Amino acid sequence: MAGGRPREFDVDEALDQAVRVFWQRGYEGAALSDLTEAMGINRPSLYAAFGNKESLFRKALDHYTDQKAVHVRDALDEPTARAAAERMLRGAVEVSTQPGCPAGCLSLQGGLAMGEDAVATRERLADWRRSGEAGLRDRFERAKADGDLPADVDAADLAKFVVLVAQGISVQAADGVDRERLHRMVDIALTSWPA
Amino acid sequence: MAGGRPREFDVDEALDQAVRVFWQRGYEGAALSDLTEAMGINRPSLYAAFGNKESLFRKALDHYTDQKAVHVRDALDEPTARAAAERMLRGAVEVSTQPGCPAGCLSLQGGLAMGEDAVATRERLADWRRSGEAGLRDRFERAKADGDLPADVDAADLAKFVVLVAQGISVQAADGVDRERLHRMVDIALTSWPA
DNA sequence: CAGGTTGTTGACCGTTCGGTACAGAATCGG
DNA sequence: CCGATTCTGTACCGAACGGTCAACAACCTG
């Protein structure tokens, strides 16, 4: 069938830059001119390849999930519930303080509160945050069945607490706290781990 | 000297509404038309009374500090360090889930990441968050001197951890978690309290 | 090389943004 | 009652926003 002029930019590299801009400026704070400049492409190229701004953010968030927030998935493979929690939290520290990336995590920097026209994006981010918690809760349920966690602990509460701490870490990182101090926060959080 | 036409609106009530709008929409997501509509005044009245948008946000944040975030100050008056921490966290839960107010707290809903032109406001919010931590740290230092806290605990780290949990609570509240569950999060966080 | 297809480019669209100018209305001191 | 002063309402400003049109360039198939 068809040929057509080949794309002059790499979609993944462009998404990398889009992630960076959204990460640093937030969804609403990231202007299209910021995005196109960072991605090194013109506006129509952006729209042809990624749709509109909301759709670009969706793709950037997926990209971020696969590339930066891998600890959210990988933590579930740890042999114990405690190791899973620790990997989750250490991963949050590392991602939130990665050199060359904006401080904090995209899921919070993207935006908690937004204008009326961005409600869908706000809800998408909230869902993203909740999804990490769901995986952890299932993992902790399994740990209870395995006897890895005491039967009287509430897996849902524990998962929520771990995610809550991870989010606190991201906020602190956004406010400029360095890696070592954040790892000490993880130490403190984990001292409450159920025996 | 002077007389002048009297103001037809109450400044504090207008600030109440401004706080609500910024709280729900964030600094950038709150359009001036949203603000004037909620405050029940016209644009020139807003500018005459509060200056520009950034200045209005500053005043709204002060208003919020005095009226909603009182637990941040009051916690320091508690007799023990642990009671201070608990009051801080319980207060965060209450404020973040207050009926009739947006979920979460203004210091995070206001915005973590912003566009280039709002850097000053972003930094102001970050300073606000840090200031609460500073008060708590001083309180914990005093507790160490009093023997209320063990000598080997790091007051700065402990204060940072408490604030970190409070911020996590606000994020969770923004994502729709209810009061009881958040109070259980406080329970978990406090099990790591130094003996 | 011709025709179809797809990407790039630059100029441009309507809308909304934060912020103001100006005229009228309400109060003061004299 | 009068001038000075301050607030209110409408209408408006330039700039920036997200999004698109139309001409051109680069590739495919035949």
Side-chain angles (χ1 to χ4, degrees):
Chain A
M1 301 288 290
R5 179 172 175 171
R7 202 171 261 138
E8 291 186 0
F9 64 94
D10 182 87
V11 173
D12 271 17
E13 284 179 21
L15 269 182
D16 277 344
Q17 294 308 312
V19 166
R20 277 187 51 83
V21 173
F22 282 128
W23 197 341
Q24 181 172 23
R25 301 290 187 198
Y27 177 71
E28 286 183 319
L32 248 73
S33 47
D34 297 329
L35 290 162
T36 54
E37 187 183 352
M39 299 165 84
I41 61 178
N42 296 92
R43 219 169 272 227
S45 298
L46 189 154
Y47 276 82
F50 304 105
N52 59 10
K53 187 185 182 184
E54 179 184 344
S55 162
L56 170 62
F57 182 79
R58 216 181 310 136
K59 292 178 166 67
L61 185 57
D62 289 344
H63 194 68
Y64 175 83
T65 306
D66 294 341
Q67 188 166 338
K68 297 289 182 182
V70 288
H71 60 282
V72 177
R73 288 199 65 196
D74 291 352
L76 308 182
D77 298 332
E78 290 289 333
T80 67
R82 187 195 156 105
E86 177 152 13
R87 179 143 176 195
M88 185 84 151
L89 294 177
R90 304 284 179 201
V93 171
E94 299 292 316
V95 168
S96 295
T97 60
Q98 204 154 26
C101 284
C105 77
L106 176 58
S107 92
L108 287 174
Q109 300 282 113
L112 273 155
M114 304 195 188
E116 203 163 7
D117 50 335
V119 177
T121 298
R122 175 173 57 76
E123 208 52 35
R124 180 169 296 273
L125 275 171
D127 284 342
W128 192 93
R129 283 175 233 127
R130 284 188 275 257
S131 72
E133 178 183 330
L136 210 55
R137 171 179 31 101
D138 294 348
R139 177 66 187 83
F140 290 169
E141 296 280 10
R142 209 174 73 217
K144 281 178 66 177
D146 295 350
D148 175 27
L149 270 179
D152 65 327
V153 309
D154 186 319
D157 280 359
L158 193 56
K160 194 175 282 298
F161 178 72
V162 171
V163 169
L164 181 153
V165 171
Q167 289 162 346
I169 285 169
S170 296
V171 172
Q172 292 289 322
D175 286 354
V177 178
D178 62 83
R179 251 181 200 185
E180 300 95 276
R181 296 201 64 178
L182 291 178
H183 277 302
R184 293 210 295 277
M185 297 298 109
V186 177
D187 296 339
I188 298 179
L190 288 178
T191 59
S192 65
W193 195 256
Chain B
M1 302 282 286
R5 176 173 176 171
R7 199 171 263 136
E8 293 187 0
F9 64 94
D10 183 86
V11 173
D12 271 17
E13 284 179 19
L15 268 182
D16 277 344
Q17 295 307 314
V19 166
R20 276 186 53 83
V21 172
F22 282 129
W23 197 341
Q24 181 172 22
R25 302 288 187 199
Y27 177 73
E28 287 185 318
L32 255 95
S33 46
D34 297 329
L35 290 161
T36 53
E37 187 183 353
M39 299 164 86
I41 62 180
N42 296 94
R43 219 171 275 227
S45 298
L46 189 155
Y47 276 81
F50 305 105
N52 59 11
K53 186 184 182 184
E54 179 184 344
S55 163
L56 170 62
F57 183 78
R58 216 181 310 137
K59 291 177 166 70
L61 186 57
D62 290 344
H63 194 68
Y64 175 83
T65 306
D66 295 342
Q67 189 166 339
K68 296 287 181 182
V70 288
H71 61 282
V72 177
R73 289 199 63 197
D74 291 353
L76 307 181
D77 298 331
E78 290 289 332
T80 67
R82 189 198 153 104
E86 176 152 13
R87 179 143 175 195
M88 186 86 151
L89 295 178
R90 304 283 179 201
V93 171
E94 298 292 315
V95 168
S96 295
T97 59
Q98 203 155 28
C101 284
C105 77
L106 177 58
S107 91
L108 287 174
Q109 300 283 110
L112 274 157
M114 305 195 190
E116 202 163 8
D117 50 336
V119 178
T121 298
R122 174 172 58 74
E123 208 51 37
R124 178 169 296 273
L125 275 171
D127 284 342
W128 192 93
R129 284 175 233 128
R130 284 188 276 256
S131 72
E133 177 183 330
L136 210 55
R137 174 183 28 118
D138 295 347
R139 178 66 187 83
F140 290 169
E141 295 282 8
R142 211 174 71 217
K144 280 177 68 176
D146 295 351
D148 175 28
L149 271 179
D152 65 328
V153 310
D154 186 319
D157 281 359
L158 193 56
K160 195 176 280 298
F161 178 72
V162 170
V163 169
L164 181 154
V165 171
Q167 289 163 345
I169 285 168
S170 296
V171 173
Q172 292 288 323
D175 286 354
V177 178
D178 62 84
R179 251 183 201 184
E180 300 94 275
R181 297 201 65 177
L182 291 178
H183 278 302
R184 293 210 295 276
M185 297 298 108
V186 177
D187 298 338
I188 297 179
L190 288 177
T191 60
S192 66
W193 196 256

